Amino acid sequence: MLRYISITLALLFVISNVQAAILKGRVQDTKGEPLPFATVFVKGSTIGTSANANADYSLRLSEGKYTIVCQYMGFTQAEHVLTIKAGETVTHNFSLMEQNLKLKTVTVKSGEDPAYGIIRQAIKRRKFHLEQQNSFQSSIYLKGVLRMRDMPDQVFGIKVKDADGESGGLSNELGVDSNGKGVLYLCEQDVDYYSKDNKSKTVIKSVTESGDPNGLGMSQVPSVISFYENNVNVLNGANPRGFISPISDNALRYYKYKYEGEFIENGYTVDRIKVTPRRLYEPLFTGTIYIVEKDWAIHSLDFLLTNKANLDQLDTLAVKQVYLPLRKDTWVIKNQVLFPTLTILGFDISGHFITVYDKQKVNEAIPDSVFDRKIVSEYLADANKKDSTYWVDKRPIPLEQDELKDYARNDSIVRRDTSSYNLDSLRRRGNRFSPTDLIIGGYTYHTKKYKNRLRINSALDGMVNYNTVEGIYVAPRINWRSSLGQQKSIELNTVARYGFANTRFNMFGKLAYIQRQKDWRDRNWQIGIEGGKYIFQYNQNSTVSSMINLFSTLAYSKNYMKLYERWTGAAFVKRNYGNGFSWYAKAGFQKRLPLANTSFYTWSNFTPARWTSNYPAELAATKWEQHNAALIKLGLSYQPGVKYIILPDGKKPLSSNKPTFTLQYEKGIPNILDSKTDFDKWVIGIKDDMNFKLLGLLSYNLTVGGFLNSNYVSLPDMKHIADNQTVLGLSYMSGFQLAPYYQYSNTAELYGEAHVEYNMNGLLTNKIPFFRKTQWYLLLGNNTLYTNDGSYYTEAFVSLDNIGFKLYRFLRVDLVKSWDDVGRNSIGFRVGLKLDGVISVGSSSAEKFDW
């Protein structure tokens, strides 16, 4: 029976393909020059396609008679009437003439260009066109491609390609030719899009990424970049403030307009207007917009963004849009193309992302079930499993020659690399050990089928270091993870440590069983135990890492890190529901031991008398002794408003734009195994990032807490802030930049801590000649600690952020001024480095297995 059903389905597929008719050809001007991405559609409808970058088009039709229209900005529409039969392929090349614009005779204000009157009408109708589509449906085809246009011979001394032009290792790996040209990224997607009452949903029916059989492309294909919005988000990351639309309510303050003429098209009068910014280094577009008279709707547009428009990371970003009339006074998007370019370190990259909209429906019924969950995007189960024959039949835009070659090349590479032999060969190659692994990067070993992974840290990642308590010490960390199948695993983290000056050996380990939910990413739970003897800092919030302490100790005899030794035994459980809510619980026993300085080596000429004790002098009045501690700790975190993407193999949560709420409670329990600790400590927190677009970004982190009882609070259990006395800016949204170490540690019944930053994202610096070119951002903020006995510490700062170039903006500089309740004040500079994934300069887990 199944055999007959299969044969029937196959026959139906063949018949449906036989019945399809194809109109194909090329679009060019009267001189024979190609017109890339021209729009080709059936007259009287929005059914159509777009030409590719070579100006070749292909349009699938049912049997019948059609009038086909071809249009391109700046050119007069051309029509072609044809009758086409089922299964027939017809070729027709369009040749478009440059548009003959007419100048209208109008009465205008003295000295004012006629364009301003047209734009005023468009601004008046902006909100109408923005809100007229209470619901919108469309099928969308997306093709995105990034190409290398040129590349250097070497980068930082690393060979990219041979001097004679032959491909080297990297160029061959990237898939470019000997001239440094080739496709870097290629994807296609077939999507259904729905929006209604400020809700939207994207359904990805099929997606393919060259070279990645499991590729997912873009989960939220751009539906329409709406220039009817006052603030336009062209591309995430292009500018944190967004860009001002040329027909926004306040557009006349920002733009200059020039009327270039009009033309008649299908009974509509269309005005062409040149748009230029009034000032450079504002988030503004440059280009041309076409406005339909009477409807005062957008007919089409061609805009460009550059670094002089506050474009971030990219060199340029162009956007083109074409709209078609669906019915009277209702214009819908037909196609949209984004053109990003980037040149960095000699690599010249450009690309285009074209979206073709079809079967558009406005204000037609959409079942409520489409929006019945917090799902913004959904992949069909087999979305990324369609073969090449499916795409041959489905894609409305012909592939270019280098795109065809890229698919063929990457498909062969995938077949080669996914064979069991090659997978095992790659694994063995990755397992090869080099002595440099112990210096830089660390060493990782995988067993067959990657079931087990063993990782060892490197010298630059804390394996070898120095402090005044232990002298030179070695601390190899080993991470072992074993997959048990069905989303289950066991993970063991161990660290051994030996100090050559104090001759003490320590070892600590954490063993956890982790179970993840297969169909819901980030939903998991884990249970585990930890124990051993190790070295810890008194302040678990300390910003002093091993690397920072090493430099300060050797360079100018400042042993900032204060350490104690601890025996630990504990059990814990954690639960993350993948919906913004998580909690944890931990219970354990500790034996805490004091430590003293044993080594005084330094590169400076300071005498040992200049060294500070390993016990914080600021807390000399606080009793510190060897003691036992029985502890429990509970915590939860919740961020409402989480939405989801349904992937082919499960659900994935997206970050919410709502605040995150946290609650923690910790108790020291006396008289258990001679435990002396006796306290109850609580903390409630809220934090959020509030994006005001043109007005910048406001971030805050507020906490309130205290001790319900403080009968016996040892030094490690006090309320410690993330204090800092180094030149490095650290823990910006949770710490203090000038607060002396341990100066403000307390056991207050009630305290409040506030960290607030206002990042203008170029709001003022884009008006200052030097700064507007550098795209450095001005940032203001405050950090404050207040306790119920009237004590306080506060600091205000002004900063320059986003310092660097293009993708490499890793520097921030702060000028900070501080005050407290006893009249102490100071001023200083701090330098922040964003080197995530390159080098760690913050707090190190080598001293902080977080309790």
Side-chain angles (χ1 to χ4, degrees):
M1 183 67 180
L2 288 174
R3 180 170 178 268
Y4 291 116
I5 292 174
S6 300
I7 293 173
T8 303
L9 290 174
L11 287 172
L12 288 173
F13 176 80
V14 171
I15 292 170
S16 66
N17 278 276
V18 168
Q19 289 179 341
I22 298 175
L23 172 67
K24 67 177 184 177
R26 185 174 174 82
V27 182
Q28 57 194 24
D29 62 15
T30 54
K31 298 177 182 178
E33 294 296 322
L35 299 177
F37 307 109
T39 303
V40 180
F41 64 98
V42 176
K43 187 174 183 177
S45 76
T46 61
I47 298 170
T49 186
S50 172
N52 63 18
N54 290 331
D56 297 317
Y57 77 92
S58 177
L59 179 61
R60 294 181 179 275
L61 300 166
S62 301
E63 184 176 12
K65 184 177 181 180
Y66 299 92
T67 299
I68 307 298
V69 181
C70 179
Q71 73 177 50
Y72 191 83
M73 275 181 278
F75 289 79
T76 302
Q77 278 188 356
E79 295 184 359
H80 174 64
V81 179
L82 82 158
T83 300
I84 196 167
K85 297 179 180 179
E88 186 178 12
T89 298
V90 176
T91 300
H92 177 77
N93 297 326
F94 285 98
S95 181
L96 305 187
M97 298 177 59
E98 287 192 34
Q99 218 145 39
N100 183 20
L101 297 175
K102 298 179 181 179
L103 297 178
K104 65 176 67 182
T105 302
V106 293
T107 302
V108 297
K109 296 178 181 179
S110 178
E112 184 179 71
D113 191 285
Y116 287 86
I118 298 167
I119 290 296
R120 286 192 185 95
Q121 294 294 337
I123 291 173
K124 287 180 182 179
R125 294 276 286 176
R126 178 196 68 82
K127 193 172 182 181
F128 167 80
H129 290 298
L130 179 65
E131 297 177 350
Q132 77 171 150
Q133 298 183 9
N134 296 321
S135 70
F136 178 69
Q137 306 172 57
S138 179
S139 64
I140 302 175
Y141 167 79
L142 164 73
K143 185 179 76 170
V145 60
L146 292 173
R147 290 181 171 88
M148 185 80 75
R149 294 187 294 191
D150 195 13
M151 63 191 302
D153 296 330
Q154 293 185 347
V155 176
F156 300 133
I158 301 174
K159 181 180 176 181
V160 175
K161 62 180 180 181
D162 291 337
D164 60 3
E166 294 181 3
S167 295
L170 180 58
S171 59
N172 185 57
E173 190 173 315
L174 293 174
V176 301
D177 62 23
S178 59
N179 295 315
K181 302 180 186 297
V183 174
L184 297 176
Y185 174 79
L186 174 60
C187 78
E188 296 178 271
Q189 292 181 232
D190 182 25
V191 173
D192 282 340
Y193 175 79
Y194 306 88
S195 69
K196 178 183 178 182
D197 299 331
N198 296 319
K199 296 178 291 185
S200 65
K201 185 175 180 180
T202 305
V203 179
I204 295 95
K205 298 186 292 184
S206 51
V207 56
T208 181
E209 278 191 9
S210 180
D212 186 356
N214 298 311
L216 296 173
M218 286 171 277
S219 60
Q220 291 173 279
V221 175
S223 53
V224 179
I225 297 173
S226 178
F227 284 83
Y228 293 117
E229 297 278 0
N230 282 320
N231 189 282
V232 182
N233 180 20
V234 180
L235 189 68
N236 288 335
N239 184 340
R241 298 173 63 205
F243 298 91
I244 300 171
S245 170
I247 57 170
S248 68
D249 291 339
N250 297 316
L252 295 176
R253 299 179 184 177
Y254 294 96
Y255 288 100
K256 294 186 293 185
Y257 304 93
K258 182 180 179 182
Y259 175 72
E260 295 189 332
E262 68 178 25
F263 60 91
I264 307 296
E265 186 177 271
N266 299 320
Y268 294 98
T269 300
V270 182
D271 298 306
R272 172 171 164 161
I273 297 173
K274 184 177 180 180
V275 178
T276 55
R278 288 187 177 274
R279 295 170 296 276
L280 295 178
Y281 301 101
E282 295 274 10
L284 304 172
F285 298 93
T286 300
T288 303
I289 187 169
Y290 294 80
I291 301 293
V292 182
E293 289 193 10
K294 295 184 179 179
D295 289 351
W296 307 113
I298 298 174
H299 170 277
S300 53
L301 56 85
D302 184 358
F303 287 146
L304 177 68
L305 295 167
T306 69
N307 298 135
K308 291 184 179 180
N310 287 164
L311 182 65
D312 208 3
Q313 300 182 349
L314 298 172
D315 290 337
T316 64
L317 178 61
V319 54
K320 292 186 178 183
Q321 290 184 334
V322 173
Y323 289 75
L324 296 178
L326 182 66
R327 52 180 175 263
K328 181 177 173 56
D329 206 19
T330 303
W331 292 71
V332 294
I333 187 80
K334 179 56 191 173
N335 64 41
Q336 172 180 285
V337 195
L338 298 177
F339 301 91
T341 69
L342 173 65
T343 303
I344 187 166
L345 300 178
F347 293 93
D348 186 358
I349 301 169
S350 70
H352 65 259
F353 291 80
I354 179 167
T355 42
V356 177
Y357 305 83
D358 217 349
K359 303 175 184 176
Q360 300 96 318
K361 298 178 182 179
V362 173
N363 297 336
E364 296 188 21
I366 300 177
D368 290 338
S369 59
V370 173
F371 305 104
D372 64 352
R373 296 172 293 172
K374 296 180 179 179
I375 306 299
V376 298
S377 181
E378 182 173 358
Y379 290 80
L380 299 187
D382 63 344
N384 58 351
K385 304 303 179 187
K386 306 293 176 65
D387 60 19
S388 58
T389 56
Y390 169 90
W391 286 101
V392 169
D393 177 64
K394 198 69 181 175
R395 67 171 60 95
I397 301 177
L399 291 179
E400 298 164 48
Q401 285 302 312
D402 62 345
E403 294 167 353
L404 288 166
K405 291 179 181 178
D406 188 71
Y407 271 131
R409 174 185 180 274
N410 285 327
D411 285 348
S412 65
I413 291 174
V414 168
R415 287 193 298 271
R416 181 196 68 192
D417 290 347
T418 54
S419 68
S420 58
Y421 174 81
N422 280 294
L423 282 174
D424 198 50
S425 176
L426 289 170
R427 178 189 63 82
R428 291 196 304 268
R429 195 181 311 158
N431 286 344
R432 291 174 184 169
F433 173 76
S434 170
T436 57
D437 293 336
L438 295 181
I439 302 173
I440 303 173
Y443 173 69
T444 302
Y445 179 86
H446 291 95
T447 61
K448 282 188 175 182
K449 297 184 179 180
Y450 296 88
K451 182 178 180 180
N452 299 287
R453 186 198 71 183
L454 181 72
R455 177 162 181 80
I456 303 174
N457 64 323
S458 66
L460 290 181
D461 190 25
M463 182 183 286
V464 180
N465 218 301
Y466 171 80
N467 61 54
T468 56
V469 172
E470 301 166 282
I472 297 174
Y473 68 88
V474 292
R477 295 197 307 272
I478 298 176
N479 170 266
W480 174 75
R481 185 182 65 195
S482 179
S483 173
L484 304 179
Q486 298 180 340
Q487 305 298 310
K488 301 173 184 177
S489 64
I490 293 179
E491 189 163 336
L492 174 65
N493 288 284
T494 62
V495 58
R497 184 164 176 153
Y498 180 76
F500 288 93
N502 67 349
T503 65
R504 297 175 80 97
F505 176 78
N506 291 282
M507 189 168 184
F508 191 91
K510 180 184 289 188
L511 179 67
Y513 170 80
I514 305 169
Q515 181 161 346
R516 299 171 178 84
Q517 188 165 322
K518 182 179 180 180
D519 60 351
W520 194 328
R521 295 189 184 183
D522 291 349
R523 172 171 278 201
N524 60 74
W525 65 271
Q526 60 177 287
I527 186 170
I529 57 174
E530 63 182 38
K533 183 166 67 86
Y534 204 68
I535 305 293
F536 295 87
Q537 294 194 61
Y538 296 115
N539 181 3
Q540 291 190 35
N541 297 317
S542 177
T543 60
V544 184
S545 68
S546 299
M547 181 177 292
I548 290 173
N549 188 69
L550 172 68
F551 178 77
S552 64
T553 301
L554 294 179
Y556 46 96
S557 302
K558 294 289 185 180
N559 54 322
Y560 291 132
M561 187 178 285
K562 307 303 178 183
L563 304 170
Y564 73 102
E565 197 171 57
R566 189 176 86 196
W567 285 95
T568 302
F572 61 89
V573 59
K574 298 180 180 180
R575 182 74 164 105
N576 188 338
Y577 290 89
N579 61 358
F581 180 70
S582 63
W583 60 267
Y584 69 90
K586 191 172 187 178
F589 178 81
Q590 301 176 3
K591 182 175 183 178
R592 298 161 170 175
L593 309 169
L595 293 173
N597 291 330
T598 61
S599 178
F600 302 96
Y601 177 75
T602 179
W603 294 336
S604 65
N605 295 321
F606 296 152
T607 62
R610 298 290 300 272
W611 296 100
T612 58
S613 167
N614 184 51
Y615 184 84
E618 294 80 3
L619 299 175
T622 303
K623 186 176 182 181
W624 170 238
E625 60 185 347
Q626 177 177 321
H627 67 281
N628 295 342
L631 303 163
I632 61 171
K633 188 172 183 179
L634 308 172
L636 60 85
S637 174
Y638 177 60
Q639 184 181 35
V642 171
K643 295 184 178 181
Y644 306 92
I645 298 173
I646 302 297
L647 302 171
D649 59 351
K651 181 188 292 188
K652 175 184 177 181
L654 297 173
S655 59
S656 169
N657 58 1
K658 299 292 193 300
T660 299
F661 301 90
T662 56
L663 171 65
Q664 292 183 358
Y665 170 75
E666 186 174 0
K667 181 172 182 61
I669 308 172
N671 305 320
I672 296 179
L673 297 177
D674 201 26
S675 168
K676 288 189 175 183
T677 55
D678 186 3
F679 65 87
D680 291 88
K681 183 168 61 174
W682 62 277
V683 181
I684 296 175
I686 177 175
K687 61 182 180 180
D688 193 17
D689 297 316
M690 303 172 66
N691 191 341
F692 297 109
K693 296 184 178 179
L694 288 178
L695 297 180
L697 177 72
L698 178 67
S699 301
Y700 65 85
N701 183 9
L702 310 176
T703 59
V704 60
F707 285 82
L708 300 176
N709 93 76
S710 55
N711 295 330
Y712 189 100
V713 181
S714 180
L715 190 57
D717 303 315
M718 298 179 70
K719 159 61 182 173
H720 298 289
I721 64 173
D723 34 27
N724 183 25
Q725 288 179 237
T726 70
V727 71
L728 288 175
L730 300 165
S731 303
Y732 286 114
M733 286 306 299
S734 60
F736 297 81
Q737 300 308 314
L738 297 183
Y741 298 121
Y742 296 99
Q743 185 76 62
Y744 302 100
S745 300
N746 64 82
T747 58
E749 292 181 359
L750 183 68
Y751 74 86
E753 191 172 336
H755 305 275
V756 181
E757 288 187 354
Y758 173 43
N759 193 331
M760 297 186 183
N761 287 332
L763 180 60
L764 291 181
T765 50
N766 65 351
K767 295 177 174 61
I768 303 173
F770 171 75
F771 293 110
R772 66 185 188 181
K773 291 184 178 180
T774 61
Q775 291 186 283
W776 297 355
Y777 297 156
L778 186 66
L779 188 149
L780 305 174
N782 176 264
N783 301 310
T784 295
L785 172 71
Y786 180 83
T787 59
N788 64 322
D789 61 0
S791 301
Y792 71 86
Y793 170 80
T794 186
E795 56 189 31
F797 53 89
V798 58
S799 316
L800 283 175
D801 198 7
N802 208 46
I803 301 174
F805 68 101
K806 294 188 180 180
L807 299 175
Y808 301 99
R809 296 190 173 273
F810 55 86
L811 191 62
R812 166 175 162 172
V813 178
D814 293 63
L815 174 62
V816 190
K817 171 71 175 177
S818 70
W819 307 263
D820 69 7
D821 59 291
V822 296
R824 289 176 295 222
N825 62 81
S826 59
I827 189 169
F829 283 95
R830 292 293 181 262
V831 178
L833 301 174
K834 301 175 186 176
L835 299 175
D836 297 343
V838 180
I839 190 170
S840 175
V841 294
S843 300
S844 170
S845 60
E847 288 80 32
K848 306 178 29 177
F849 282 91
D850 185 35
W851 170 256

